Every structure is written in structure tokens, then in C-alpha cells.
Amino acid sequence: MTLLNPHDPERLDGVRDIPDATVARLPVYLRALAALADRGLTLCSSNDLAAAAGVNPAKLRKDLSYLGSYGTRGVGYDIEFLRYHVARALGQTQDWDVVIVGVGRLGSALSEYRGFSSRGIRIAALVDSDPAKVGTTVAGMTVAPMEDLPALVREHGVAIAVIATPGEDAQDVADALVAAGITSILNFAPALVKVPDTVTVRKVDLSIELQILAYHEQRVRGVAG
Amino acid sequence: MTLLNPHDPERLDGVRDIPDATVARLPVYLRALAALADRGLTLCSSNDLAAAAGVNPAKLRKDLSYLGSYGTRGVGYDIEFLRYHVARALGQTQDWDVVIVGVGRLGSALSEYRGFSSRGIRIAALVDSDPAKVGTTVAGMTVAPMEDLPALVREHGVAIAVIATPGEDAQDVADALVAAGITSILNFAPALVKVPDTVTVRKVDLSIELQILAYHEQRVRGVAG
DNA sequence: CCTTGTGAAGCTGTTCACAGCC
DNA sequence: GGCTGTGAACAGCTTCACAAGG
């Protein structure tokens, strides 16, 4: 049975409403907690953890307060205890199977990335529309054709997919993913994909990141001469 | 001579203060404008462009208003004219040379990515600390040792670097980059890097993106059963 | 006395709705 | 009449500063 305190926005199903900005930082906190634990620490203050995570201590405390009250006033946070509760809030009590669509350079790099597993992420399948790639082995997995998507999604209970195709294929892939029952998509293709609003899409665009940095460079150059 | 209107926050050096959120969307608008131009259009309304970029029309107009007044009331925007001005605001009147540190799978994938060049980004050099990789050819370039960084930065006038190393090397690499004169860093390593505040760092963390999606999945699963 | 947890203030970003202009 | 540009309202996020509590 879950403990409920009166000012707590916990819902009946045990899911709290955590602000987006906070959710995006929880994985950072988790990593910082792991780093502190690796140093042999068992306890930390919000100052310690905020420093390790690169955020303002007040922001850290406010973020953690959305999960519950897991610290001790005058003392700090028990690192393992907090780790457990942050992981739980993120849904890391289970592993999440992910399918990667597109085994070009980026897709292959992602497939072989070690570091997902300790974060509750498991690459369950690779898919590509190119017949020349189907059947080849990447990261120890056999690349499946697009037609297999619905079966793969069903069998593995996959909910999350990564699009690592050229931009022009992204919308077709997204449509296929949605049709196969995927409800969360991480899109690396440099293109906007449209999906029903039951599906969450996050976008990572490498060119855009560099263009933003170029903007700031230009700014300081303009001032400096 | 630059035109100045009274309510305009333009500064003497011609550099305006554009909100961060707007800067992050300008590359998206640029891509959307390119897509409209490819369709043979020469003119578009804020509705058209907002739809192509996946944003609210009011937000688009407000964003563009920070650059200046480049539309025509009752008519819309001249696509080429607006493209030029958005590109200019982003600093794309020149190409920006970028150095990539770390030619593992991700670094190699980035090196060979076509699509940077049309966005004013040029991969100028590859660097790796692993002697086994130094001297090899990746994406048509010879991988240089870390010791060459200062010279490379000086010779090419590089201001922007990408860290594509394992997390444990990221801080050392960042220190070397800062020492070599780099002032903007895109960090793909799953680690926090500390730099002087004269240096801008942006972070792309693949695990974190997937963890955020997993959170949302867990949320809907909790409700759905 | 120390550190958490949190109202309240302040800031940034988004959206609305309409004045201004073609 | 139609579409842009923008003040004003609103929503969300960050920071402050302090009460609460070990």
C-alpha cells in the first residue's frame, strides 16, 4: 500500500504529475547519484548532489520534492534510498525494450552503444527497409525487414522506437511504427514527423545543435570584432 | 548602414538579443523554408510555414519578429528573402569549422554525416587520443593526435568542437579543447563537463532521451493497466 | 545548528487577440 | 479582407529565502 500525505498530488494509480523539466533532469540526478556511490559515499546533501549534477541546489530540492520527501532535514539524502526512488519514478523498475529503425552509421553506432543497459534500456531489435541490410548482423543482432515490425513489437512488448534513417524516410517509418503499436519515438532523422497525439515524439537533431552553437559563436565574434 | 527603429533592441554591432528558445527553433524554420522552396513556392503565410515547421503560427511570428520585420501584412513572407535573413541571424553567412574528438562509432558516424554542409557546418578535423586510431582515415580525413589540437584550432580558426568519447574521457577532452581555444562544445559523452563560463556547452545524451520516453510510457501504462 | 521542503517572487516562454498595414 | 507584428494575459520554470524539523 502506498503512503499518501495530504499535500501530495499522487493519483490513485500511483502516478504523480512531474513537470517535464524535472523529468528531463531525473536521469542526470541518477547518474550523479551513481557517481557519488562509486566514490564510496552513502549520504549526500542537496549541495553535493547539485554540484555533481551541475544544477542549482534549490532546483534539485524542488525537483526531488515532486517525487516525495526522501531526504532528512539537517542530514541530507541517503544515496541508495534516493537512487531507488528516482529510478522508480522514471519507470526503471523494469527494462524497456527499444527497436531501432535504420542501421546506417548512426543506427549501428546506437545499436552497439554500451551504457543503455544500466539505464533500463534494452535494444531488442533492429529493422531496416534496405534489402541489402536485412539479414546482416549488427551488434550481434540480425537486421529484420520492415514487414516484421508489428510482430517484433507484439512479441517483445516494445513501446519505444528510434528512427535513425535519412530524413526523407522518417515519415514513412513513423507511420509504420505507429501502425505497429509503438507509442514513443526518438527521432534522429532531420525531419519533422507527424503522429497521432497518443504518440510521444522526441527529436534529436545534430545539425541543429551545431547551428545553435554557431549562433552563439557569431554573437561573441560580433562583439569581440 | 543598418536600419534602426526605435523599439528595436538592436545593438551597435548589429547583434540582437534573440531568446534562447527562439534561436533553437530558427534552424527548424530554415529547414521548413527549404522544403517550401523545393515545392516551388516563393511566398508563404505564417500559417503555411508554421505547419511545415510543426509550431503554432503565433509563436512563429513572434520568433521572426525578434529578427526584424521581414513579412508583408496581408500577404505573407517571401521565402527566399526570409531564408536569407534567418540564415544571417544564425550566422550562416559563413561556414563554421568543427573538430570532432573521438572517432569511435558515434564520432565516425558524425564525421560521415552528409547534411552538415548545407547548414553552414564543415567538419574540419578529427582527433583521437588512441594511438591505434591516430593516422587512420575516417570520412576521408586523417585522424590527428590530441597534441595537434591547438595547432588545428589555430590553423582552421575552429571555434566549435564535438566530444564523442566515452564519458570518463570527456572532462579531460573538454579541458584540452578549452586550452586549445575552443569556445563552443557539443558534448555527446554521458558525463557532465565543467568549463569556464566563457565557453558554451550543449549536451546530447541518448540514454537520457530514451529514459524520458520510458517515463512517459510508464505513465500511460499505469493508467491503462 | 544544519539541511530539507516549499510558498512566494521573478523570469522566461507561449498563446491570445487585435491594432496596424498592405 | 487578410495577414503580420505585438502588447497583454497566461503558463511554466527557476530562484530565493525561510519555516519546519531532524
Side-chain angles (χ1 to χ4, degrees):
Chain A
M1 166 86 68
T2 315
L3 289 169
L4 288 168
N5 52 14
H7 60 285
D8 186 295
E10 182 155 354
R11 303 190 340 213
L12 286 176
D13 52 27
V15 178
R16 293 156 204 255
D17 191 23
I18 304 177
D20 288 347
T22 296
V23 172
R25 282 187 296 266
L26 292 181
V28 178
Y29 300 157
L30 219 37
R31 189 169 290 164
L33 283 165
L36 294 177
D38 284 349
R39 280 196 238 152
L41 299 172
T42 57
L43 203 73
C44 69
S45 67
S46 63
N47 269 346
D48 301 336
L49 184 52
V55 302
N56 175 311
K59 191 193 280 186
L60 170 78
R61 291 201 301 276
K62 179 133 285 198
D63 282 342
L64 295 182
S65 78
Y66 293 115
L67 315 189
S69 189
Y70 298 124
T72 311
R73 290 168 202 240
V75 179
Y77 300 95
D78 179 283
I79 290 175
E80 283 310 318
F81 184 70
L82 185 58
R83 259 179 110 167
Y84 169 76
H85 283 287
V86 175
R88 206 178 83 101
L90 275 171
Q92 278 191 27
T93 42
Q94 63 181 281
D95 267 21
W96 294 88
D97 275 352
V98 173
V99 58
I100 296 179
V101 183
V103 289
R105 309 203 173 275
L106 182 61
S108 309
L110 294 174
S111 314
E112 307 194 13
Y113 178 60
R114 291 139 182 42
F116 286 140
S117 61
S118 61
R119 264 124 213 157
I121 305 294
R122 202 174 72 91
I123 307 299
L126 307 181
V127 170
D128 204 298
S129 62
D130 180 356
K133 283 178 181 151
V134 171
T136 62
T137 301
V138 173
M141 278 177 279
T142 304
V143 177
M146 288 293 285
E147 301 82 69
D148 288 8
L149 256 182
L152 286 169
V153 168
R154 215 180 316 112
E155 282 160 28
H156 290 86
V158 182
I160 304 173
V162 175
I163 301 179
T165 63
E168 53 269 31
D169 302 339
Q171 184 61 58
D172 288 346
V173 170
D175 293 344
L177 289 171
V178 171
I182 291 288
T183 45
S184 289
I185 296 175
L186 180 54
N187 180 23
F188 281 96
L192 179 73
V193 302
K194 286 181 186 162
V195 296
D197 39 287
T198 49
V199 178
T200 310
V201 177
R202 291 185 66 86
K203 200 186 148 186
V204 173
D205 195 309
L206 314 174
S207 295
I208 288 180
E209 296 300 324
L210 290 172
Q211 287 172 278
I212 294 168
L213 289 174
Y215 167 80
H216 289 291
E217 277 302 320
Q218 174 222 26
R219 253 184 138 263
V220 301
R221 294 231 173 143
V223 174
Chain B
M1 167 85 66
T2 315
L3 288 169
L4 288 167
N5 53 13
H7 61 284
D8 186 297
E10 183 157 352
R11 302 187 341 211
L12 287 176
D13 52 29
V15 179
R16 294 156 202 254
D17 192 22
I18 304 177
D20 288 347
T22 297
V23 172
R25 282 187 295 265
L26 292 181
V28 178
Y29 299 157
L30 220 37
R31 190 168 290 165
L33 284 166
L36 294 178
D38 284 350
R39 279 197 239 153
L41 299 172
T42 57
L43 202 73
C44 68
S45 68
S46 65
N47 269 347
D48 301 335
L49 184 52
V55 302
N56 175 311
K59 191 194 279 187
L60 170 77
R61 291 200 301 275
K62 177 135 284 195
D63 282 342
L64 294 182
S65 78
Y66 293 115
L67 315 189
S69 189
Y70 298 125
T72 309
R73 290 169 203 238
V75 178
Y77 301 95
D78 179 283
I79 290 175
E80 284 310 318
F81 183 70
L82 185 58
R83 261 179 109 166
Y84 169 76
H85 283 287
V86 175
R88 205 178 85 103
L90 276 172
Q92 278 192 26
T93 41
Q94 63 180 283
D95 266 23
W96 294 88
D97 275 354
V98 172
V99 58
I100 296 179
V101 183
V103 289
R105 307 200 175 276
L106 182 61
S108 308
L110 294 174
S111 314
E112 307 194 16
Y113 178 60
R114 292 142 182 42
F116 286 141
S117 61
S118 62
R119 263 121 214 160
I121 305 294
R122 203 174 72 93
I123 307 300
L126 306 179
V127 171
D128 204 298
S129 63
D130 180 354
K133 282 178 182 152
V134 171
T136 62
T137 301
V138 173
M141 280 177 278
T142 304
V143 177
M146 288 293 285
E147 301 82 70
D148 289 7
L149 255 184
L152 285 169
V153 169
R154 216 180 314 112
E155 282 160 28
H156 289 86
V158 182
I160 304 173
V162 174
I163 300 180
T165 64
E168 54 269 30
D169 302 339
Q171 185 61 58
D172 289 346
V173 169
D175 294 344
L177 289 171
V178 171
I182 290 288
T183 45
S184 289
I185 296 174
L186 180 55
N187 180 23
F188 281 95
L192 181 72
V193 301
K194 286 181 185 161
V195 296
D197 37 287
T198 48
V199 178
T200 310
V201 178
R202 291 185 68 86
K203 201 184 146 186
V204 173
D205 195 308
L206 313 175
S207 295
I208 288 180
E209 297 300 324
L210 289 172
Q211 285 173 278
I212 294 168
L213 288 174
Y215 167 81
H216 289 292
E217 277 301 320
Q218 173 223 27
R219 251 182 140 261
V220 301
R221 293 231 174 144
V223 173

